[in-house]
Amino acid sequence: MTAKIIDGRAVAAQVRARVKERVARLRRAGVVPGLAVILVGDDAASRVYVGTKVRACREVGIFSRRIELPACIPEAELIRTLEGLNQDPAVHGILVQLPLPPTLDAHRVFEAVAAEKDVDGLHLRNVGLLSIGRWGLAPCTPAGILRLLAHEGISCRGQHAVVVGASNLVGKPLALMLLQEGATVTVCNSKTRDLPRHTRLADLLIVAVGKPGLVTGNMVKPGAVVIDVGINRLPDGRLTGDVDFATVAQHASRITPVPGGVGPMTVAMLLENTVIAAEHQARTSRSMLLADPIDAA
């Protein structure tokens, strides 16, 4: 068996095209969707990611505001900056690039972002909505994974999904989403004993831990769908995932590559979340009668 490669770039391009149409509709109604991206400190990888997001906004017609702050900024000052953006009608989405310097409490920072502008889906209100099946602004990477599965015609209903990694950004929200889609979900973490015993049971295996080559071919059930969320840079500069692609592709039915799999979807879903936020705020503040959002499935 040789796995079919799930082309995240192609699916992301379709999402971006639909976002561009929705942005044009909003602009015709007098609303320019706006995203503020806050970079705290001078982390090289974060700088690259922020640049990618700003370029993506420009390509679909979203106004972006890049705000760079020093790593030594007092938490109270950062929160005042966020409160100002909360009140700014030109800003519909706010994203605080992670990781934050260790002197800042990430939870307090996330809570300072207005829930309706929280395009990362990390505010407690959005997390709570997700937990009861009412998706507001959902975390971008998990939403992108579900969009990839839908594009491939893969139903989660009745499938055994194993999520390796229990982060607040990916693992935990993804597990909730998969449950709502009808999957039976197992979540593995760093304390899990005998990880291969769990991964071999998965019809759908998602790996998001940041350890290169953690999952190998002998850990995968024949015919499983494997989604690799990891992005790791090797000493020679190459990017690789958490899955050993060469061996796992011999067992899986479908697999995402790194790069070119989940990564492009994360950015695409950020753009979609920004438009969703802009549409909602436009309806709320101006009682605009907009057409229903384009079906993104």
Side-chain angles (χ1 to χ4, degrees), residues 203-221:
D203 303 306
L204 174 59
L205 177 62
I206 304 102
V207 190
V209 291
K211 292 186 178 179
L214 174 67
V215 172
T216 55
N218 63 356
M219 297 170 65
V220 176
K221 176 182 178 179

Side-chain angles (χ1 to χ4, degrees), residues 44-226:
S46 293
R47 189 169 291 276
V48 171
Y49 295 146
V50 167
T52 298
K53 292 165 185 176
V54 168
R55 286 193 299 274
C57 285
R58 185 166 56 245
E59 289 168 5
V60 298
I62 292 173
F63 164 74
S64 64
R65 183 182 300 174
R66 178 171 176 158
I67 300 171
E68 298 191 17
L69 301 170
C72 60
I73 188 172
E75 187 174 286
E77 185 176 339
L78 173 57
I79 288 175
R80 281 196 297 272
T81 298
L82 294 173
E83 289 172 344
L85 293 171
N86 289 341
Q87 300 303 316
D88 189 340
V91 174
H92 302 96
I94 300 171
L95 181 146
V96 180
Q97 182 64 44
L98 297 175
L100 288 171
T103 54
L104 299 174
D105 186 317
H107 294 292
R108 281 201 291 265
V109 171
F110 297 150
E111 286 307 294
V113 176
E116 66 272 15
K117 296 189 178 187
D118 167 37
V119 290
D120 250 347
L122 294 172
H123 189 282
L124 284 179
R125 180 176 183 275
N126 291 324
V127 173
L129 286 171
L130 179 62
S131 72
I132 61 172
R134 293 177 57 194
W135 295 13
L137 293 170
C140 299
T141 298
I145 291 169
L146 288 194
R147 191 66 58 82
L148 282 177
L149 296 174
H151 180 270
E152 292 292 307
I154 299 168
S155 172
C156 298
R157 187 172 299 278
Q159 300 296 302
H160 184 188
V162 175
V163 179
V164 182
S167 71
N168 291 331
L169 276 174
V170 181
K172 291 177 184 176
L174 178 59
L176 288 170
M177 291 174 167
L178 290 167
L179 282 171
Q180 291 158 17
E181 292 293 308
T184 298
V185 182
T186 298
V187 179
C188 301
N189 56 41
S190 60
K191 308 296 190 299
T192 299
R193 298 177 182 174
D194 194 2
L195 179 62
R197 179 170 64 87
H198 295 280
T199 59
R200 291 191 195 107
L201 296 175
D203 303 306
L204 174 59
L205 177 62
I206 304 102
V207 190
V209 291
K211 292 186 178 179
L214 174 67
V215 172
T216 55
N218 63 356
M219 297 170 65
V220 176
K221 176 182 178 179
V225 175
V226 179

Side-chain angles (χ1 to χ4, degrees), residues 240-293:
T240 188
D242 292 347
V243 169
D244 181 49
F245 186 90
T247 60
V248 171
Q250 299 305 311
H251 296 264
S253 61
R254 291 181 178 87
I255 188 170
T256 57
V258 176
V262 174
M265 292 301 298
T266 298
V267 177
M269 301 313 292
L270 169 64
L271 301 177
E272 184 170 282
N273 271 357
T274 302
V275 171
I276 290 170
E279 289 171 342
H280 172 74
Q281 290 165 54
R283 288 191 181 98
T284 301
S285 64
R286 297 174 59 181
S287 299
M288 293 175 58
L289 296 177
L290 297 178
D292 289 337

